[in-house]
Amino acid sequence: QVQLGESGGGLVQPGGSLSLACTASGTFFTIVAMGWYRQAPGKERELVAQVNSGGGINYEDSVKGRFTISRDSALNTVYLQMNSLKPEDTAVYYCNTRGYDSNRRIFDAWGQGTQVTVSS
């Protein structure tokens, strides 16, 4: 079983920066992709950024140039550096990890979510 531990988030003024981190722990065979989703009140959850095991990275269009995702494979940790934050970035951010467990079955794990609030 895979568990995700998230850290970071909080309250920041517009134009400020925050960073998030998420570490996968437990028993698994391999991780295929790690990323961050967000869900604002009244909206659907959306992909913010994702990095796969080959190093490929995807960003949601509105965060390109402002957010940077990175991954430390040895630590099974994914980071999200968020710069030039805007009020519309306010949401609960969820870590997501996909891979294969020890029985070679696909898993799709979610963190508990961390609040990011951008407000003056």
Side-chain angles (χ1 to χ4, degrees), residues 77-99:
T77 298
V78 64
Y79 307 94
L80 186 68
Q81 177 64 41
M82 303 181 289
N83 298 327
S84 302
L85 282 160
K86 304 176 181 180
E88 50 263 43
D89 295 317
T90 295
V92 177
Y93 284 68
Y94 296 91
C95 178
N96 173 260
T97 298
R98 298 170 184 167

Side-chain angles (χ1 to χ4, degrees), residues 36-116:
W36 294 92
Y37 287 70
R38 67 185 178 186
Q39 187 166 19
K43 295 187 177 181
E44 293 186 355
R45 189 173 298 188
E46 65 175 1
L47 176 66
V48 176
Q50 185 180 64
V51 55
N52 63 37
S53 57
I57 292 175
N58 292 317
Y59 291 104
E60 195 272 326
D61 285 345
S62 69
V63 308
K64 289 179 180 178
R66 300 188 298 121
F67 290 12
T68 302
I69 190 170
S70 60
R71 177 183 170 183
D72 187 327
S73 298
L75 297 177
N76 295 319
T77 298
V78 64
Y79 307 94
L80 186 68
Q81 177 64 41
M82 303 181 289
N83 298 327
S84 302
L85 282 160
K86 304 176 181 180
E88 50 263 43
D89 295 317
T90 295
V92 177
Y93 284 68
Y94 296 91
C95 178
N96 173 260
T97 298
R98 298 170 184 167
Y100 293 90
D101 65 17
S102 56
N103 294 313
R104 306 302 190 267
R105 293 175 301 192
I106 294 174
F107 70 82
D108 188 5
W110 292 89
Q112 78 278 6
T114 185
Q115 178 69 46
V116 170

